[in-house]
Amino acid sequence: MRRILFIVLTLMSTLLPGLAHAWWQAEWSYRKPVTIDGGPQAGAIGSDAGRVPVLVRLHTGNFKFEGVSETGADLRFVAADDKTVLNHQIEQFDPLLGIALVWVDVPNVSAGTPQKLWMYYGNPKAPASGNGQRSFDPDYTLVYHFAEGAVPPRDTTAYANNGQTSAVPVEGTVIGKGAQLGSGPLMLPSTPSLAVQAGGALTFSAWVKPDQLGARQAIYARRDGAGELVVGIDQGVPFVQVNGQRSTPGQPIQAGQWSHLAVKAEGDSVALYVGGRPTVSLAAKLPALNTAAALGADAPGSLPVAQGAQPAATFAAFTGAIDEVRLSKVARADALLLADAVSQGAESRLTVFGADEQQAGKSHFGFILAAMPLDAWIVVGLLGLMMAISWAIMIAKGRHYGATSRANTTFIEHFREAAGAPLDRLAVNNTVPHEVRADSSLWRLYEVAVDEMRRRHDRGYDLSAVSSATIGAIRAAMDGVMVREIERMSKRMNWLSTTIEGAPYVGLFGTVIGIMLVFVVAAMAGAVDINSVAPGMAAALLCTAAGLGVAIPALFGYNWLASRSDAITADMAVFVDEFVTRLAEEQGEGRSLPMASARA
């Protein structure tokens, strides 16, 4: 009974308006599913990359730019649970050109099961929330998007390692805007957050597009005394050089094409990556580096030279474009570097966009619920409790009546098969299954009759000639059990009749109170138009509808249960007549004296 009541209450709770909706927040009108798939048929990153700032590239081919703020301030990225808001940073958002570049902090990019994100938009009152300091984890010490134009590049991270010289902007790079190199080095600051310990860890990555393939072109250079770290290109072949030791030739890149280069140093090894995949490895340790680094040229003035001599550049300047420069104080996972290369390219295979969804408007029923006052909710709550109890009773009674009917059918088959044998044969031989004896009301009638016969036999009565008085006594005992069985079946049925008769009155009471309040409020406000009274009237009438909704199922259930109860009662009455008739026929005609009197 308690379990059934719990199930009913649980089902009812799904209808309450206060529960969470699938939509994240009602203020946002639209959302778009974004699937991050690192599996073999998509990103193919090979293994889990962990926390990754994934580039979400929007354009007119996958996004209509309708209903969204002109600045993208209302963009929100929410995890699949529709609860967890993900950090993001907007690098570029231009609805007129139909392009947007947004970095989303995805907590775990997996090579297994694809994960869905939701991009919400369409809230003109939403404040801007994009923040690069939270979108990139604290191990990133420098991130340049080059989106600022002809000014020193701004560091997105919280370390504020902004550039020391102005960048020459270039449009149409691999990710929005970039910087043109070749006229001079783009100097990075010398800060404690960019310092490298001897033998320490480091990750450098950037997108590069050489205009021409020359010899010994430096892309990233840093020198500190005799210590040296250079990442460059020699006749189209990327290399990394540490303290004069250069990596062997690996995978080349092409002029006029964008390529993703990365260098990862950890312990005794420095590895070079092209397109997110390792190409060559150098057995070397990083030196201690505490000086300023340069992009696009060798680090000037950092080499030790003789007194009075001019420093000579060891490497030539890199002529070409650069974009999305990143430095990390840790050795990034191979899967993360591959995810960067895959997701940041012009045709990302890591992100898949679904169709935009619009939040459904409030239904008529939802409008009525929103207009319900407290007194109406109290009435509806009371009616809900009545409905839960009545449904629990109907379900329990229905199961009980069904089990009783099935057990009675099985028992009467056993009883009739034993015709011609002594009436107590079923009890003596124990041929009736335990389940039938537990549920059958006919068994309980039979059991009390057999017990009456046994008691008389133990007292010395001759049961081969049962008198009319004894038969009447046995019938009376069976009638008593039948009455108790009827009472058992009728237990709690009065609650259903009370629900049938009382629920409409409870609902009507709520309607009357609600209408009274509607008219009082309208009179006090001086407003008598339909728009001012219609919501309250509808909410008041909902109470009556709720009362009828409780009473009508209870009425149907009561009538059905009453018919089942009547059928079981009729079966018991028929069985009493059948048993007494067989007793009179097979063992009737008088009553013998006690055995002691007969011997006397």
Side-chain angles (χ1 to χ4, degrees):
M1 177 66 183
R2 292 180 179 177
R3 184 174 61 181
I4 296 173
L5 182 59
F6 173 77
I7 294 174
V8 173
L9 291 175
T10 302
L11 293 175
M12 285 184 57
S13 65
T14 61
L15 304 177
L16 296 179
L19 296 181
H21 193 270
W23 207 265
W24 169 56
Q25 287 189 11
E27 291 78 7
W28 273 259
S29 301
Y30 305 93
R31 70 179 183 181
K32 186 179 189 67
V34 182
T35 302
I36 309 298
D37 188 358
Q41 305 301 322
I45 60 176
S47 60
D48 294 347
R51 182 179 178 183
V52 179
V54 176
L55 176 62
V56 175
R57 189 188 300 267
L58 303 176
H59 51 78
T60 54
N62 58 28
F63 189 57
K64 297 180 180 179
F65 291 91
E66 297 178 0
V68 66
S69 169
E70 294 182 356
T71 61
D74 57 344
L75 288 180
R76 298 292 187 273
F77 291 85
V78 184
D81 60 1
D82 252 327
K83 297 178 181 179
T84 306
V85 180
L86 306 179
N87 298 319
H88 75 280
Q89 181 196 18
I90 298 177
E91 178 179 338
Q92 181 180 356
F93 193 88
D94 193 337
L96 296 179
L97 294 179
I99 187 172
L101 302 171
V102 186
W103 298 96
V104 180
D105 182 16
V106 181
N108 183 28
V109 175
S110 172
T113 305
Q115 55 182 309
K116 179 183 288 186
L117 312 178
W118 293 104
M119 184 182 76
Y120 282 86
Y121 62 97
N123 181 7
K125 298 181 180 180
S129 66
N131 191 328
Q133 296 182 6
R134 295 195 301 265
S135 301
F136 292 84
D137 68 61
D139 289 331
Y140 284 102
T141 54
L142 182 148
V143 175
Y144 287 169
H145 298 316
F146 299 105
E148 297 79 18
V151 295
R154 182 178 63 86
D155 180 18
T156 290
T157 71
Y159 298 102
N161 289 314
N162 301 322
Q164 302 300 295
T165 55
S166 296
V168 178
V170 59
E171 300 285 346
T173 64
V174 65
I175 309 173
K177 296 180 180 179
Q180 183 68 33
L181 301 177
S183 58
L186 182 59
M187 297 303 300
L188 307 184
S190 175
T191 62
S193 61
L194 293 178
V196 179
Q197 302 296 324
L202 172 75
T203 302
F204 166 83
S205 65
W207 285 90
V208 296
K209 186 181 77 169
D211 293 340
Q212 55 187 3
L213 302 178
R216 301 173 58 83
Q217 296 178 325
I219 296 175
Y220 173 81
R222 191 173 187 181
R223 301 180 183 276
D224 189 350
E228 171 194 55
L229 172 62
V230 179
V231 181
I233 304 174
D234 192 352
Q235 300 297 341
V237 179
F239 68 87
V240 57
Q241 181 169 314
V242 178
N243 296 339
Q245 182 181 359
R246 181 187 293 191
S247 60
T248 58
Q251 179 182 343
I253 63 175
Q254 303 297 320
Q257 295 182 4
W258 285 100
S259 300
H260 186 268
L261 299 182
V263 171
K264 180 176 72 172
E266 185 177 21
D268 298 334
S269 175
V270 180
L272 176 66
Y273 294 75
V274 178
R277 303 185 182 278
T279 57
V280 294
S281 180
L282 183 65
K285 291 183 179 181
L286 287 182
L289 300 171
N290 296 286
T291 56
L295 291 176
D298 201 352
S302 58
L303 290 174
V305 296
Q307 185 177 3
Q310 296 295 323
T314 305
F315 291 93
F318 170 76
T319 303
I322 192 169
D323 195 8
E324 198 58 32
V325 174
R326 296 182 183 178
L327 283 171
S328 299
K329 59 183 179 181
V330 296
R332 296 292 180 177
D334 289 1
L336 185 145
L337 296 176
L338 181 57
D340 285 344
V342 169
S343 67
Q344 297 169 15
E347 295 295 333
S348 174
R349 302 188 303 275
L350 190 66
T351 55
V352 180
F353 298 91
D356 294 63
E357 300 178 9
Q358 182 176 0
Q359 184 176 200
K362 188 178 294 185
S363 65
H364 295 165
F365 189 70
F367 185 81
I368 295 174
L369 291 178
M372 288 180 61
L374 177 61
D375 59 290
W377 279 114
I378 294 175
V379 171
V380 171
L382 178 59
L383 291 172
L385 180 61
M386 295 176 66
M387 183 178 69
I389 297 175
S390 62
W391 274 88
I393 293 174
M394 288 188 292
I395 293 174
K397 288 293 182 183
R399 295 178 61 182
H400 171 65
Y401 290 172
T404 300
S405 296
R406 290 189 297 271
N408 286 346
T409 301
T410 303
F411 171 77
I412 202 67
E413 291 176 355
H414 284 276
F415 182 75
R416 289 172 180 169
E417 287 175 358
L423 286 172
D424 61 349
R425 178 178 178 179
L426 297 179
V428 172
N429 294 343
N430 198 23
T431 58
V432 179
H434 174 73
E435 297 79 7
V436 174
R437 286 181 288 167
D439 295 333
S440 174
S441 59
L442 300 187
W443 167 263
R444 288 184 282 274
L445 295 176
Y446 171 80
E447 189 177 34
V448 71
V450 171
D451 288 343
E452 289 291 330
M453 294 171 61
R454 285 176 178 174
R455 280 198 295 270
R456 283 164 173 76
H457 179 269
D458 294 339
R459 290 163 56 188
Y461 287 90
D462 183 9
L463 295 182
S464 62
V466 182
S467 66
S468 298
T470 301
I471 294 175
I474 294 175
R475 173 188 282 274
M478 297 177 71
D479 288 341
V481 173
M482 183 170 66
V483 169
R484 288 191 292 272
E485 289 291 332
I486 294 173
E487 291 176 349
R488 181 184 177 188
M489 290 189 297
S490 301
K491 188 177 181 180
R492 291 192 295 272
M493 290 290 287
N494 60 332
W495 175 264
L496 291 182
S497 61
T498 301
T499 301
I500 295 169
E501 297 176 0
Y505 287 105
V506 174
L508 182 60
F509 173 77
T511 297
V512 172
I513 297 297
I515 292 176
M516 289 171 56
L517 292 177
V518 167
F519 285 133
V520 168
V521 172
M524 293 176 64
V528 293
D529 57 287
I530 187 65
N531 292 329
S532 63
V533 300
M537 296 285 287
L541 292 173
L542 181 62
C543 294
T544 298
L548 295 175
V550 174
I552 292 174
L555 175 62
F556 292 162
Y558 180 87
N559 290 335
W560 177 71
L561 293 174
S563 64
R564 297 290 301 274
S565 176
D566 291 343
I568 295 174
T569 301
D571 290 341
M572 290 190 293
V574 170
F575 177 75
V576 170
D577 291 340
E578 185 174 350
F579 184 90
V580 170
T581 301
R582 282 185 56 182
L583 178 61
E585 181 180 9
E586 298 173 6
Q587 300 175 233
E589 295 300 328
R591 169 177 175 274
S592 66
L593 295 174
M595 298 300 295
S597 299
R599 287 194 297 269

